[in-house]
Amino acid sequence: MTISLKGRNFLACEDFTPDEIRYLLDLALKLKEEKKNKLDQREFIGRNLLMLFQMNSTRTRCSFETAGNDLGMGTTFLSNSHFGNTETIKDSMRVFSSIYDVIGYRGAKHSDLLEMAKESTIPIINGYTDHQHPTQMLADAMTLMEVWGKDNLKGKTICFIGRGGAVNSFSYGVIAALLGMNFTYITSYMEYDEALSMLSPAQLKLYRKFVPEGSVNENWNTEMNPKKKKIVEDLFAKYSPECKFIETDDIEAIKGVDMITTENWGFFTDPVETWLPGIFRFRPYQVNKELLEKTGNPDVIVMHMLPSTHNMNHSSGQQLLKAIEDPKLREFLKAGMEITDEVFEEHSKYIFREAENRMHTIKAVMKAVTE
Ligand code: CP
């Protein structure tokens, strides 16, 4: 079967069939091999890539730029434009469509991306929105293909544990369903008030500086949003009916999984003091040695999309430690938040391969969709 994705947007993995996703993964593997062999990949000389980023990024931005360069494209990084602020998305898109050949976008609102896609005459690639992180899912799947064998993903079980939020648990559920893997999502259902009651008076005061009494914490609910859950369930029913999709707060569900992944317990876009209730909430869900033992699987691997708070040796970590008086909790955090430093370093060969594969998979998407 011949697959061509020329001119298509890459906004969400569920817009693609399993064959199309596998086509992109095979292409990424081929491009990685070519790059290792120093082959010239400049197929798009004279073409231009716009990277429109409205949120911070290390991996995604670097991946888009190097992938564009490798493919021979000129690149523009834009983070301070009129887009959506002093100019309508429609007008900006009319400009971008006439100058560029492909766009990489990162922004908080998927609705903005959908509006961009409606107005655009060139392909757009989603580099993260509040709907999904689809290029990250390709990088994770590619890494699993390399570790387990290209055709050995089917029937494996991948697990997201901790703060899956609106985006990550959903993203993993979608890619699992498309590639025939079981998906286990383990998260905390602790109520917001219960977590707040665990803060010391001083911590609560700090927290209230940023989240005043009476304000609603819309991001507190980590159960997969019902609309997103339906998308995942429908994909499993359509493509992988033999696979299981579980969401639970029971840590024992970790038994038998083949891959564990997690994410920081607070929002990087928010001040670290706002992470405090999440620390009390997700503490039992840390990826540590005991959790790995609970899997009963000596070959279980750990991945992390990064950035990770596996120790406190960065300014956010230092700031967070200032807000913690309890010496035991300080020691706990120094050894790692969502994942211990020990487990992170032990599995770093997978984690940083996953980071490198962001570039190869983004390059594959860019090559596939650019006309
Ligand atoms: N994983 C990921 O998207 O990393 P960045 O936020 O650094 O791009």
Side-chain angles (χ1 to χ4, degrees):
M1 187 192 357
T2 310
I3 290 178
S4 171
L5 304 179
K6 292 284 172 208
R8 295 259 305 265
N9 294 313
F10 189 75
L11 307 185
C13 289
E14 67 269 24
D15 299 339
F16 293 81
T17 65
D19 283 340
E20 289 171 337
I21 294 289
R22 276 192 293 267
Y23 165 81
L24 288 170
L25 292 168
D26 285 342
L27 183 57
L29 288 163
K30 179 172 161 276
L31 291 169
K32 184 172 181 176
E33 187 64 21
E34 281 181 14
K35 188 167 169 80
K36 212 167 70 186
N37 293 323
K38 299 196 168 24
L39 290 191
D40 188 346
Q41 298 178 322
R42 289 174 299 165
E43 179 185 334
F44 295 100
I45 291 173
R47 248 61 78 71
N48 285 284
L49 162 70
L50 171 66
M51 294 169 285
L52 181 62
F53 276 51
Q54 299 187 295
M55 293 169 76
N56 289 350
S57 167
T58 299
R59 280 142 288 273
T60 313
R61 185 257 164 98
C62 294
S63 297
F64 269 102
E65 189 150 354
T66 48
N69 287 335
D70 282 357
L71 292 173
M73 293 181 184
T75 57
T76 304
F77 180 73
L78 201 54
S79 64
N80 55 351
S81 72
H82 296 288
F83 174 87
N85 300 317
T86 45
E87 181 170 76
T88 63
I89 291 177
K90 181 173 180 171
D91 285 355
S92 291
M93 288 316 299
R94 286 191 271 191
V95 175
F96 299 151
S97 291
S98 66
I99 296 176
Y100 291 97
D101 300 281
V102 60
I103 297 176
Y105 176 75
R106 169 171 286 200
K109 283 160 61 186
H110 195 67
S111 53
D112 284 353
L113 180 61
L114 294 177
E115 189 177 344
M116 286 169 68
K118 192 165 137 259
E119 304 299 340
S120 180
T121 59
I122 57 173
I124 307 176
I125 303 168
N126 179 359
Y128 181 93
T129 66
D130 60 6
H131 177 70
Q132 199 177 95
H133 200 354
T135 58
Q136 179 73 53
M137 292 307 102
L138 292 184
D140 282 45
M142 178 180 179
T143 308
L144 294 176
M145 288 166 91
E146 290 177 330
V147 175
W148 291 337
K150 195 168 150 337
D151 300 315
N152 291 342
L153 270 55
K154 273 191 190 298
K156 292 271 202 267
T157 300
I158 62 170
C159 171
F160 189 101
I161 187 164
R163 190 181 65 83
V167 179
N168 290 331
S169 56
F170 170 64
S171 301
Y172 283 101
V174 167
I175 198 71
L178 287 167
L179 296 176
M181 296 183 283
N182 304 298
F183 178 55
T184 302
Y185 174 39
I186 306 175
T187 190
S188 163
Y189 296 152
M190 185 185 280
E191 297 289 338
Y192 183 46
D193 287 345
E194 188 186 340
L196 286 190
S197 75
M198 296 167 99
L199 300 185
S200 70
Q203 286 166 348
L204 189 61
K205 200 169 160 204
L206 265 179
Y207 181 69
R208 287 290 180 220
K209 272 195 199 168
F210 301 97
V211 188
E213 182 112 42
S215 60
V216 180
N217 187 335
E218 286 169 1
N219 296 320
W220 188 256
N221 191 354
T222 54
E223 282 172 63
M224 204 185 289
N225 160 301
K227 274 191 194 153
K228 289 187 163 182
K229 197 175 249 182
K230 173 90 170 63
I231 294 173
V232 174
E233 285 167 350
D234 288 351
L235 288 170
F236 270 110
K238 185 170 179 186
Y239 295 123
S240 304
E242 71 287 3
C243 291
K244 276 197 198 135
F245 163 40
I246 302 167
E247 182 191 303
T248 178
D249 65 347
D250 181 3
I251 292 170
E252 297 304 321
I254 202 79
K255 196 160 174 46
V257 308
D258 299 292
M259 186 278 270
I260 301 173
T261 191
T262 186
E263 200 197 356
N264 177 287
W265 294 338
F267 283 88
F268 285 116
T269 44
D270 295 340
V272 290
E273 290 80 357
T274 65
W275 301 2
L276 287 166
I279 291 170
F280 291 97
R281 180 189 198 188
F282 289 113
R283 196 174 164 168
Y285 296 86
Q286 187 188 53
V287 178
N288 53 33
K289 276 267 184 221
E290 293 72 46
L291 186 82
L292 266 55
E293 275 162 26
K294 262 187 198 299
T295 66
N297 179 359
D299 299 321
V300 65
I301 67 163
V302 177
M303 290 171 65
H304 197 304
M305 66 171 65
L306 303 174
S308 164
T309 323
H310 60 93
N311 60 39
M312 293 287 130
N313 302 339
H314 42 70
S315 60
S316 295
Q318 294 300 309
Q319 182 74 18
L320 187 62
L321 286 181
K322 277 191 200 159
I324 311 269
E325 312 99 339
D326 176 1
K328 279 196 185 143
L329 185 54
R330 287 171 65 85
E331 287 314 304
F332 172 84
L333 288 174
K334 280 184 191 170
M337 189 194 275
E338 76 279 8
I339 179 169
T340 59
D341 203 39
E342 182 186 24
V343 169
F344 182 91
E345 291 303 340
E346 240 170 53
H347 291 258
S348 57
K349 66 178 177 207
Y350 308 118
I351 293 167
F352 289 97
R353 183 188 280 230
E354 179 188 4
E356 180 196 331
N357 286 342
R358 296 296 313 283
M359 197 279 279
H360 304 297
T361 43
I362 283 174
K363 190 191 285 178
V365 177
M366 217 184 287
K367 179 179 162 82
V369 301
T370 304
E371 292 182 291

